[in-house]
Amino acid sequence: MTILDKIIERKKEEIAVSKTKISMEGLKSSEFFGRQNFSLKESIKNKSGIIAEFKRKSPSKGIINDKVQPLEVVSAYENFGASGISILTDNDFFGGNFDDILKVRKHIGIPILRKDFMVDEYQFYEAKSIGADAVLLIAACLSPAQVLEFTELAHQLGLEVLLEIHTEDELKHFNPEIDLVGINNRNLKDFKVDLQHSVLLKDQLPKNVLSVAESGIYSKEDFKYLKEKGFDGFLMGEYFMKNENPANQFAEFISDVKNNS
C-alpha cells in the first residue's frame, strides 16, 4: 500500500466513527453552518495569491512545527497579505484537527481551505459546520464522477473547490464546475518534487482556469519561477512552518517577493 492508500483507509474508519457521534442534521445546527462564505477564488485574484498553510507534520517530513498555535500564525498570515489560509484537519498523518479551524474562524476575515482527504459527503457538511470556505478534492483518491458529485455538493453548501492533480491522466477529473485547480509539485506516491512537471500539466488546462501551485515551493526562486510560468495561486506551508516563527518567515517572504517583483 502507498502512503495515500493507508491515509484513505484510515480516513474511512474515522468517518464511520464520526457519523455515530454527530449526525448530518447535527452538523447543520452548528453556529457556522449558516454563515456567508468568503471566496478563495476572488481573494487569489485580488491579493498575493498565496494560500498560507498551518501544518504541524507530514508523512514525508515528520514533525515540522508542533510548538506554535494556529491563531498566532494565521493572524500574521492574514496581516501580511495572504489570500487564504489552508488548515490540515487530518490528525493521524498531519497532526491537525477541527479545533485548528474553529479557534481561528471568528478572528480572521479571509478564506479558509479545509485540507483533508475528502471521500464521503459527510465531510462536506463537517467542513461547512466548522467554518471552512473551500475544500480540497484530491484526484488521486477519487473518480471523475465523484469529483463532479462532490463539487456540486460543495457548491450547494456554499463551499468552493480546489481540485488537486498530479498526473496527466488526472486531467480528466477536471470539469467546468471546478473553482480552482491545484497542481501538486510533489508526487503523493513517492513524495518526490518536480516543478517542471507541474508547469507542463498547467499548460494543458483551459486558459481561464485559476491554477494553484501546491507543495515543494522551498524558496523565493521557486515562487518566482512558478509565477512567471503563469500560476495564479501558491499553496505554501512547510517553507513557513519549518521556521521557529512562521509569522516572521511569511512576513520576510512577502517583503522579498514585493521588492523583487
Side-chain angles (χ1 to χ4, degrees), residues 148-167:
L148 179 58
E149 177 190 341
F150 286 159
T151 300
E152 290 173 345
L153 172 59
H155 287 170
Q156 286 168 21
L157 295 172
L159 301 166
E160 289 184 345
V161 168
L162 171 61
L163 172 68
E164 176 180 301
I165 63 172
H166 179 77
T167 68

Side-chain angles (χ1 to χ4, degrees), residues 9-241:
E9 185 177 86
R10 177 69 187 117
K11 187 61 54 180
K12 289 177 177 176
E13 293 171 357
E14 283 177 22
I15 295 165
V17 172
S18 295
K19 286 178 178 178
T20 67
K21 293 181 177 178
I22 182 166
S23 67
M24 213 107 81
E25 288 304 311
L27 294 173
K28 291 178 185 178
S29 67
S30 90
E31 63 173 313
F32 292 124
F33 204 87
R35 66 178 279 271
Q36 182 67 42
N37 285 12
F38 299 122
S39 171
L40 181 58
K41 189 160 59 172
E42 291 306 312
S43 194
I44 283 176
K45 289 178 186 175
N46 298 321
K47 294 187 179 181
S48 66
I50 297 174
I51 306 170
E53 190 160 83
F54 183 84
K55 174 167 67 174
R56 292 185 179 85
K57 68 177 186 177
S58 76
S60 61
K61 301 289 183 179
I63 299 293
I64 298 168
N65 190 336
D66 60 356
K67 304 288 190 244
V68 292
Q69 295 302 310
L71 186 56
E72 67 178 277
V73 174
V74 304
S75 293
Y77 285 164
E78 178 181 22
N79 291 339
F80 290 110
S83 286
I85 305 296
S86 170
I87 298 182
L88 275 294
T89 55
D90 176 83
N91 181 260
D92 287 6
F93 296 89
F94 291 88
N97 55 68
F98 291 165
D99 277 350
D100 290 343
I101 293 181
L102 290 167
K103 286 175 181 174
V104 306
R105 176 69 283 171
K106 289 181 178 178
H107 302 282
I108 62 170
I110 56 175
I112 294 176
L113 170 73
R114 178 194 177 181
K115 196 176 183 190
D116 210 318
F117 298 82
M118 309 293 281
V119 293
D120 189 290
E121 66 171 351
Y122 181 85
Q123 294 169 287
F124 293 82
Y125 288 87
E126 280 181 334
K128 180 71 172 173
S129 75
I130 60 176
D133 301 284
V135 290
L136 181 73
L137 297 186
I138 301 173
C141 54
L142 299 169
S143 69
Q146 284 176 309
V147 169
L148 179 58
E149 177 190 341
F150 286 159
T151 300
E152 290 173 345
L153 172 59
H155 287 170
Q156 286 168 21
L157 295 172
L159 301 166
E160 289 184 345
V161 168
L162 171 61
L163 172 68
E164 176 180 301
I165 63 172
H166 179 77
T167 68
E168 191 168 345
D169 189 53
E170 288 170 1
L171 287 165
K172 68 177 183 286
H173 287 68
F174 175 78
N175 67 71
E177 298 301 312
I178 296 292
D179 299 290
L180 308 120
V181 176
I183 302 178
N184 198 334
N185 303 306
R186 182 184 290 118
N187 188 321
L188 284 176
K189 294 182 178 173
D190 60 17
F191 285 87
K192 291 178 181 174
V193 172
D194 183 354
L195 300 187
Q196 182 58 32
H197 173 74
S198 299
V199 171
L200 293 173
L201 273 185
K202 182 202 172 305
D203 290 341
Q204 297 179 62
L205 289 170
K207 299 300 179 192
N208 63 333
V209 175
L210 282 184
S211 57
V212 178
E214 297 182 17
S215 302
I217 305 172
Y218 295 135
S219 67
K220 293 182 286 291
E221 290 70 31
D222 289 344
F223 178 87
K224 184 180 178 184
Y225 170 75
L226 291 164
K227 194 170 183 65
E228 287 174 349
K229 293 300 181 180
F231 278 93
D232 304 289
F234 310 86
L235 200 161
M236 300 176 64
E238 188 182 321
Y239 181 80
F240 308 128
M241 290 297 297

